[in-house]
Amino acid sequence: MANIIKYPRPMVTVDIVIFSIQNDNLKVLLIKRNIQPYKGSWALPGGFVHIEEDLDSAAKRELEEETGVKDIYLEQLYTFGDTKRDPRGRVITVAYFALIKSEDQKLDPKTDVSDADWFLAYKPLKLAFDHSKILDYALKRLQWKLEYTTVAFQFLPKKFTLTQLQKIYEIILNKTFDKRNFRKKIISLEVLEETGDITKGVSHRPAKLFQCKTKIGEILELI
Amino acid sequence: MANIIKYPRPMVTVDIVIFSIQNDNLKVLLIKRNIQPYKGSWALPGGFVHIEEDLDSAAKRELEEETGVKDIYLEQLYTFGDTKRDPRGRVITVAYFALIKSEDQKLDPKTDVSDADWFLAYKPLKLAFDHSKILDYALKRLQWKLEYTTVAFQFLPKKFTLTQLQKIYEIILNKTFDKRNFRKKIISLEVLEETGDITKGVSHRPAKLFQCKTKIGEILELI
DNA sequence: CCATGATAGTGTATTAAGTACAGGAATTTA
DNA sequence: TAAATTCCTGTACTTAATACACTATCATGG
C-alpha cells in the first residue's frame, strides 16, 4: 500500500431506489434530469457523497431532500462501479433501497431537479446511466426480502389489516395467496399482535387491525 | 445535481475477506501492515481501486496479487464508508469476500507487505481500521450462503466426497449433522452427480467422488 | 488369510410445515 | 329484513425435516 495521495480519485455518489405501493401497484420514484448527460432522461434520485458525511447519512439526506420523508426503512443495496457507467468520468455509486409507506405518498418530492414522479416499478423503463440495472437489482432484493423477512410492514401504516398485508405480498411477488394459508403463515411468525381496534366506516364486516410486535429492523438487517 | 467537479473526492479501496478451510478450521487470510497507520497490525488484504478499473476487476487483481489464485468465487459484500474509518482521510472501501479451495492453500501470498498468514476466522482478532467489523459481516454472509445456497463446493476440489462436504458445513456452521439426513438433503438438491471415481489409498472403504452438475455461479448470485 | 480398525453407505418411522379447499359471521345500504 | 360485501376460520392431504443404528468395503498387521 504505497503513498495514498498519488492515486487519482473517483467520484462517489449514492442513488436510492425508493419504492412505494400506490393504487395497488408497486411504484418507484424517479427524477427527470435537467442537465447533461442524459438531460431529459428519468433517473434514480441520488447525489454526491459529501466528504464529511457517512454513506448512510448521505443516503438519508438525499432521500429526505427528494421526498421529505425520514425515519424509514433504508438499506444498502450494492455498489456499482464499472468504469464506463458515467460519461463524465469515474463515478462509483453506492445504491440504497428504501420503502415508504402508502400514507406518505402525497409528499411530493421537493427537489431541485426539473421533475419527479412515481412510475410502475415493473414496467421496463429506459433510465439514465446504469439505473435500469440498479432498479432490477433492487426489485430482486425486494422480492427476496419479502419472502424471507418481514419487510412488507414497511409499506403499511402502523396499524393494518391482514388483507392489506396480503395485498402487499401479492403486488410485489405478482401472485395470489390463499387467504387462510397466508394468515396461518403470518400468525405463526409471531411478529404481529392485535391492537383491539377495527376498521371503521366500511360497508361490510370490519377487519381487525394489527401492528408489529417489535421495533422494526432487527429481523431485517441480517442478510 | 450541480457541477460535479467541485466536490472533494474520497479515496476508494477494495478489501477482500479470503476464506479457506485448513486442517478442519475456517481460516481467513490477513496481511501485516508495514506502514502507518496501524503499522504492525494485521489487516485484510486490499488496495486502491485504479481509476480505469472496474470494481470487480480491482478485487480480482488484489486477490491474485495477494494469493496468486484466480477464477474463484468472489462476491461483493458491502461498502463501508464511515467518515472516520481511516485516519488518513476519507476512504470508502468496497468489501468483497472470496472462497478458495483447500488444495490452493499452499500458494503463499506473494505480496509487497511485510507478512501474510492464515488466521482462525472465528477467533476474535484486533485488526486495523474497521476490518474486524468487515470480517464479522463476511462471516455472517458466509454462514447464510451455506444455508441457502450451494456455495460450500467452492472450498472443495472439483471432485469430492459427501463426507468432505458435510465437514465444510460443520466447520462453518459450527454444528454437527446426521450423516443420513445430510446426504438425503444434498442429494435432493439435485446439484451433484457421481463421477464414477472413488477415493484411492485409504485404509477403509473408499468413498464415491461427486462433482457439481452445473457451472457454479448461477444459483449463488441471486441474493 | 483372517481379524481388526476405520470410514462409507443406507432406510424407516415420526414430526413439522406447506398446500388445497368452502362456508358462516359482521357490517352497511336499500 | 334482504342483499351486498368483506372478514374470518378449520380440516384433510402432501411434502419436507428430524431422529435414529446397522451393514459394507477397504487396508493393515498378525
Side-chain angles (χ1 to χ4, degrees):
Chain A
M1 222 182 272
N3 179 12
I4 63 173
I5 217 70
K6 79 179 181 190
Y7 291 89
R9 301 181 180 185
M11 296 166 269
V12 178
T13 58
V14 288
D15 286 311
I16 312 167
V17 185
I18 306 169
F19 289 119
S20 180
I21 305 272
Q22 295 174 18
N23 306 120
D24 291 347
N25 284 301
L26 179 66
K27 303 257 185 140
V28 59
L29 183 64
L30 299 176
I31 58 162
K32 193 168 197 171
R33 291 180 56 81
N34 62 0
I35 54 166
Q36 291 296 348
Y38 295 104
K39 185 170 178 175
S41 288
W42 292 91
L44 295 171
F48 287 91
V49 176
H50 298 172
I51 200 74
E52 288 285 359
E53 178 185 51
D54 291 344
L55 282 178
D56 290 356
S57 309
K60 273 184 204 139
R61 175 181 53 73
E62 288 290 342
L63 176 67
E64 194 178 345
E65 282 177 16
E66 303 287 354
T67 68
V69 280
K70 46 184 174 176
D71 298 326
I72 61 147
Y73 186 73
L74 184 71
E75 87 170 31
Q76 192 182 302
L77 187 62
Y78 197 80
T79 298
F80 296 83
D82 282 3
T83 49
K84 310 173 310 296
R85 60 173 297 280
D86 190 317
R88 293 168 298 186
R90 187 67 193 280
V91 181
I92 292 169
T93 195
V94 184
Y96 280 77
F97 88 116
L99 309 182
I100 85 172
K101 295 187 191 308
S102 309
E103 61 188 358
D104 297 332
Q105 282 171 29
K106 318 116 199 171
L107 299 173
D108 258 19
K110 32 160 187 170
T111 170
D112 60 340
V113 294
S114 71
D115 202 0
D117 209 346
W118 293 98
F119 288 78
L120 292 173
Y122 282 125
K123 191 171 178 178
L125 287 163
K126 274 222 174 7
L127 302 183
F129 307 106
D130 55 356
H131 288 189
S132 297
K133 190 171 149 192
I134 298 177
L135 174 57
D136 285 348
Y137 196 93
L139 284 168
K140 270 192 207 140
R141 175 79 67 96
L142 175 61
Q143 291 183 335
W144 183 89
K145 279 264 159 181
L146 219 62
E147 299 216 55
Y148 295 101
T149 76
T150 55
V151 81
F153 306 135
Q154 301 297 325
F155 285 112
L156 292 170
K158 202 165 175 183
K159 299 180 179 185
F160 51 86
T161 68
L162 294 181
T163 301
Q164 283 179 296
L165 186 63
Q166 183 174 342
K167 195 96 194 184
I168 301 287
Y169 275 81
E170 292 182 336
I171 291 166
I172 295 173
L173 299 177
N174 196 32
K175 60 180 174 182
T176 57
F177 294 91
D178 177 81
K179 182 182 270 200
R180 287 157 295 185
N181 293 339
F182 180 83
R183 290 157 112 91
K184 202 192 302 176
K185 174 73 178 166
I186 294 293
I187 297 302
S188 77
L189 297 175
E190 296 186 326
V191 292
L192 292 190
E193 60 190 4
E194 295 190 19
T195 61
D197 298 345
I198 54 171
T199 51
K200 300 278 184 188
V202 287
S203 76
H204 53 77
R205 177 173 176 175
K208 289 180 187 169
L209 288 166
F210 289 79
Q211 65 189 5
C212 239
K213 259 185 192 169
T214 56
K215 205 85 199 123
I216 290 154
E218 293 99 68
I219 330 164
L220 311 171
E221 300 292 356
L222 257 170
I223 301 139
Chain B
M1 223 181 272
N3 180 11
I4 63 172
I5 217 71
K6 77 179 184 192
Y7 291 88
R9 300 181 180 185
M11 293 165 272
V12 178
T13 58
V14 287
D15 286 312
I16 311 167
V17 186
I18 305 170
F19 290 118
S20 180
I21 306 270
Q22 296 175 16
N23 305 120
D24 291 347
N25 283 302
L26 180 65
K27 304 257 185 138
V28 60
L29 182 65
L30 298 176
I31 58 162
K32 194 169 197 170
R33 291 180 56 80
N34 62 359
I35 54 165
Q36 291 297 348
Y38 295 103
K39 186 171 179 174
S41 288
W42 292 91
L44 296 172
F48 287 90
V49 176
H50 298 172
I51 200 72
E52 289 285 359
E53 178 184 51
D54 291 344
L55 282 178
D56 291 356
S57 308
K60 271 184 206 141
R61 175 182 51 76
E62 287 291 341
L63 176 67
E64 194 177 347
E65 281 176 17
E66 304 287 353
T67 68
V69 280
K70 47 184 173 175
D71 297 326
I72 61 147
Y73 186 73
L74 183 72
E75 88 169 30
Q76 191 182 303
L77 188 61
Y78 197 79
T79 299
F80 296 83
D82 283 2
T83 50
K84 309 173 311 293
R85 61 174 296 280
D86 191 316
R88 292 168 297 186
R90 186 65 193 281
V91 181
I92 292 169
T93 194
V94 184
Y96 280 77
F97 88 116
L99 309 182
I100 84 172
K101 296 187 190 308
S102 310
E103 59 187 0
D104 296 333
Q105 282 170 30
K106 320 115 199 172
L107 299 172
D108 257 19
K110 33 157 187 172
T111 169
D112 59 341
V113 294
S114 70
D115 202 2
D117 210 348
W118 293 97
F119 289 79
L120 291 173
Y122 282 124
K123 192 171 177 178
L125 288 163
K126 272 221 175 3
L127 302 184
F129 308 105
D130 54 356
H131 287 189
S132 296
K133 191 171 147 192
I134 298 176
L135 175 56
D136 286 348
Y137 196 93
L139 283 168
K140 270 192 207 141
R141 174 79 66 94
L142 176 60
Q143 291 184 335
W144 184 88
K145 280 264 159 182
L146 218 62
E147 299 217 56
Y148 296 102
T149 75
T150 55
V151 82
F153 305 135
Q154 301 298 326
F155 286 110
L156 292 170
K158 203 166 172 181
K159 298 179 179 187
F160 51 86
T161 70
L162 294 180
T163 301
Q164 283 178 297
L165 186 62
Q166 182 174 344
K167 196 97 194 183
I168 301 287
Y169 276 81
E170 293 182 335
I171 290 166
I172 294 174
L173 300 177
N174 196 32
K175 59 180 175 183
T176 58
F177 295 91
D178 177 82
K179 182 187 271 200
R180 288 158 292 186
N181 293 339
F182 180 83
R183 290 157 111 90
K184 200 192 304 176
K185 172 77 180 166
I186 295 293
I187 297 301
S188 76
L189 295 176
E190 297 186 324
V191 292
L192 292 191
E193 58 190 6
E194 295 190 19
T195 62
D197 298 346
I198 54 171
T199 52
K200 301 276 182 190
V202 287
S203 76
H204 52 77
R205 176 172 178 176
K208 289 180 187 168
L209 288 165
F210 289 80
Q211 65 188 5
C212 239
K213 258 186 194 171
T214 56
K215 205 85 199 123
I216 289 152
E218 294 100 67
I219 330 163
L220 310 169
E221 300 293 357
L222 256 171
I223 299 138

